[in-house]
C-alpha cells in the first residue's frame, strides 16, 4: 500500500487549494483514519485535521473555519481531501498525511505519505 499526498502549490493570500491523500496499491483498501499535519521551517509539526471512516472529523481550533476534511466515500475511504480556503502567509508549510489503512492482504497498518508544499504569498 502506498499513501500519496498532492495538491500543494503557490497561491496568493485569500486563495484556495485542495489537497488529496490517496491510498493505493491493492484492490481492497479502506482508510480507517487519516490525519493531515503541517510543518513550517523552524516550527513544530501541527495537527491540522483528522477524519475517521464514517465521517467524523476533528480540526485544529484555529483552522476549523477555513479548512474542511472529507473522504471520497463515507464508509470505504480510499482518498481523503482537505479544502483550504482564505489562505494566509502563515499557512505556508509542508503538508503531509498519515493514515491507518486496512487492506485485505495486510490488515490495518499505519502509513505516512510524502509532503506537499503549500506556499501562500502576501
Amino acid at each position: 500500500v502506498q499513501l500519496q499526498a498532492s495538491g500543494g502549490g503557490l497561491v496568493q493570500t485569500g486563495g484556495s487549494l485542495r489537497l488529496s491523500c490517496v491510498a493505493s496499491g491493492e484492490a481492497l483498501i479502506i482508510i480507517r483514519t487519516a490525519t493531515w499535519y503541517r510543518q513550517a521551517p523552524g516550527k513544530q509539526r501541527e495537527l491540522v485535521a483528522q477524519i475517521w471512516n464514517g465521517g467524523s472529523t476533528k480540526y485544529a481550533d484555529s483552522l476549523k473555519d477555513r479548512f474542511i476534511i472529507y473522504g471520497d466515500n463515507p464508509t470505504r475511504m480510499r482518498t481523503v481531501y482537505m479544502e483550504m480556503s482564505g489562505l494566509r502567509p502563515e499557512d505556508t508549510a509542508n503538508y503531509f498525511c498519515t493514515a491507518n489503512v486496512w487492506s485485505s492482504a495486510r490488515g490495518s497498518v499505519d502509513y505516512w505519505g510524502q509532503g506537499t508544499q503549500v506556499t501562500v504569498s502576501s
Side-chain angles (χ1 to χ4, degrees):
V1 175
Q2 296 83 42
L3 196 65
Q4 185 168 3
S6 63
L10 173 64
V11 297
Q12 293 183 334
T13 296
S16 300
L17 283 173
R18 187 177 77 165
L19 305 184
S20 300
C21 178
V22 181
S24 64
E26 295 186 19
L28 184 55
I29 291 175
I30 299 174
I31 295 176
R32 299 177 69 235
T33 182
T35 305
W36 282 101
Y37 292 93
R38 69 183 184 183
Q39 187 164 21
K43 295 187 177 181
Q44 288 188 332
R45 185 177 67 198
E46 177 184 17
L47 188 150
V48 178
Q50 194 170 12
I51 186 169
W52 286 262
N53 196 43
S56 297
T57 58
K58 176 183 176 181
Y59 296 89
D61 286 341
S62 62
L63 301 173
K64 61 184 177 181
D65 293 333
R66 298 187 292 118
F67 290 14
I68 299 173
I69 189 171
Y70 59 97
D72 61 331
N73 184 303
T75 58
R76 297 184 67 174
M77 292 189 300
R78 292 181 65 110
T79 301
V80 172
Y81 301 97
M82 186 164 70
E83 295 270 2
M84 306 184 297
S85 60
L87 287 165
R88 306 165 181 170
E90 54 264 39
D91 294 318
T92 295
N94 188 41
Y95 287 70
F96 57 97
C97 61
T98 69
N100 181 270
V101 180
W102 179 89
S103 67
S104 56
R106 297 175 178 269
S108 293
V109 179
D110 293 329
Y111 296 90
W112 286 71
Q114 88 292 358
T116 184
Q117 178 68 32
V118 172
T119 303
V120 185
S121 63
S122 57

